[in-house]
Amino acid sequence: MPPADTGASVTDRAAASPQSSTDSSSSAAALDPESGKLRPGGPGYRRMSFALFAAGVATFALLYSTQALLPAISNDLGVSPDQASWTVSAATFGLALGVIPLSAVSERCGRRTLMTVSLSVAALIALLVPFAPSIGALIALRAVQGVALAGLPASAMAFLAEEVRAKALVAAIGLFVAGNSIGGMSGRIVTGWVAQAWGWRAALGAVGVLAVVCAVTFRLLVPKARHFTPRSVGPRALARTLGGHLADPLLRRLYGIGALFMTVFGAVYTVIGYRLVSEPFNLPQGIVGSIFVIYLVGTVSSAAAGQLVARVGRRGALYLAVGTTSTGLLLTLADSVSAVLAGLILITAGFFAGHAVASSAVSRTAKTARAQASALYQCAYYVGSSLGGALGAAAFHAVGWEGTVLLGLAAMLGAASITVYATRKAVAERRLLHLEKAA
């Protein structure tokens, strides 16, 4: 592995060049502070995009590797749906616990280095997961894997915010989120068909191999950081930084929105396999796994989030995401495969659009300690996933699919309420500003 980048800025690197180059670089930086940052069509942007895309694929493929296999795990290990759901929730909860401490580590060792180590360790654990002898051991390994994966979301958003021009940031984060959707889709499709032929343990092994390939791809393609300056973050400094971010009302709202969207997504995709293998559908495991091809919709909607925000604004995009997700939830109540599929398409499109908008807004809102700001978002996001998976499975076990849908609608009502509050607050601030100018 090559030595970690020192994180020196562009102007620092230029100091080692001839004087004319130094003067030129300094003049350019004075005119345009983002002159050295990556932009679409510029050198390094494509490599960065492919590297982060591969990391996104591995993150969701590993994090949710057991989700499509829950009915098979329940049958083989003799556990209930809410017990089996912890093989998913343990991983997401582990990630939520690890993301903030690892964001502090990234401030010292560098985003690029931490992402490489996290992805490599998580991929190696994935090769051990298929050999878990019991449900308890499986849940424990998945929790450790979640902590290992935490270095990716703890660093990725901050890496992009530092290395990519502000105008291209939403699109760049959208590509990373699109990688998440591809990973979620491919992981579930592969596990569904492999499990049908050779069992759920072989399916988890296949995901482990995919993760290793993604880890190697990421390391080969990710460019060196050119706008990162290492600094030490002690416990007290970290607490102050986190407190500062949590004191920001806009960031708090964005964290809440991310958690609520992920509550819906975690609940629906944790439970949908149980619904489709049962009456009146009785679909085989391979077909149920293939349902996750719907994640391609998320790839499109997250990548297009930047254009959506440009047209209707951030709050307008969130309203559309909430409405789309809620409509999808209602459609899945029908006892028709086509209606359920249509509902899942809308839920997936709405979720990924809402997530891309909220996460990119966090990166743009935080002016300092972006890694910790993004880490708080990821923590809230994956706590939402853990709660959604566990509560959604419990609701399904108690009252059926209607209980899972009711949980999702309640979460979307919460997200809509936060956005309405933000809209009214913004309108009131504009009126006050107009009155002050008129006076």
Side-chain angles (χ1 to χ4, degrees), residues 9-291:
S9 67
V10 172
T11 52
D12 289 336
R13 294 172 188 273
S17 302
Q19 184 65 36
S20 60
S21 298
T22 303
D23 294 341
S24 175
S25 297
S26 300
S27 299
L31 293 173
D32 181 7
E34 296 196 324
S35 60
K37 291 193 174 185
L38 300 175
R39 56 182 176 79
Y45 184 86
R46 182 171 296 180
R47 285 172 58 90
M48 180 276 299
S49 298
F50 280 124
L52 270 294
F53 185 83
V57 168
T59 300
F60 260 43
L62 290 174
L63 198 59
Y64 296 100
S65 59
T66 62
Q67 199 169 57
L69 304 173
L70 293 180
I73 292 173
S74 288
N75 290 334
D76 186 45
L77 300 180
V79 295
S80 64
D82 53 329
Q83 290 175 308
S85 72
W86 277 102
T87 64
V88 180
S89 293
T92 53
F93 190 64
L95 191 152
L97 286 178
V99 69
I100 291 177
L102 288 180
S103 72
V105 173
S106 79
E107 296 285 1
R108 185 175 183 83
C109 73
R111 328 292 190 199
R112 181 174 177 261
T113 300
L114 181 61
M115 287 189 287
T116 300
V117 173
S118 290
L119 189 53
S120 300
V121 172
L124 291 176
I125 294 174
L127 299 178
L128 299 176
V129 167
F131 301 99
S134 65
I135 187 66
L138 180 58
I139 291 172
L141 277 173
R142 294 281 292 144
V144 174
Q145 189 175 47
V147 174
L149 277 171
L152 277 162
S155 304
M157 301 301 181
F159 178 82
L160 291 172
E162 290 167 352
E163 303 300 325
V164 177
R165 291 193 174 204
K167 290 183 178 180
L169 183 58
V170 174
I173 290 178
L175 284 172
F176 176 65
V177 175
N180 291 165
S181 67
I182 290 290
M185 177 198 71
S186 59
R188 288 163 173 86
I189 292 176
V190 168
T191 55
W193 286 105
V194 173
Q196 184 169 313
W198 295 290
W200 62 271
R201 294 181 186 275
L204 290 179
V207 172
V209 172
L210 172 65
V212 170
V213 172
C214 287
V216 173
T217 301
F218 173 80
R219 181 56 184 171
L220 292 175
L221 293 180
V222 65
K224 290 184 178 181
R226 298 184 180 278
H227 294 82
F228 169 74
T229 302
R231 65 189 183 94
S232 179
V233 181
R236 291 184 179 180
L238 179 61
R240 286 195 299 270
T241 298
L242 297 177
H245 288 322
L246 290 173
D248 187 319
L250 175 54
L251 287 176
R252 286 203 306 270
R253 291 195 293 269
L254 292 170
Y255 297 152
I257 288 171
L260 290 167
F261 267 105
M262 195 53 164
T263 297
V264 176
F265 201 67
V268 167
Y269 277 103
T270 296
V271 178
I272 193 63
Y274 288 104
R275 174 161 166 77
L276 294 177
V277 299
S278 305
E279 294 287 347
F281 306 106
N282 296 315
L283 297 180
Q285 184 69 56
I287 297 297
V288 170
S290 296
I291 294 298

Side-chain angles (χ1 to χ4, degrees), residues 248-263 314-316 318-319 322 358 377 380 409-427:
D248 187 319
L250 175 54
L251 287 176
R252 286 203 306 270
R253 291 195 293 269
L254 292 170
Y255 297 152
I257 288 171
L260 290 167
F261 267 105
M262 195 53 164
T263 297
R314 184 175 66 237
R315 288 185 293 274
L318 289 173
Y319 284 129
V322 167
Y377 176 82
L409 290 173
M412 286 296 90
L413 178 61
S417 299
I418 292 173
T419 309
V420 168
Y421 171 81
T423 301
R424 296 181 65 179
K425 185 177 178 63
V427 170

Side-chain angles (χ1 to χ4, degrees), residues 271 274-275 333 391-407:
V271 178
Y274 288 104
R275 174 161 166 77
L333 289 170
L391 295 177
F396 178 79
H397 187 61
V399 299
W401 181 251
E402 293 80 3
T404 304
V405 170
L406 184 61
L407 173 68

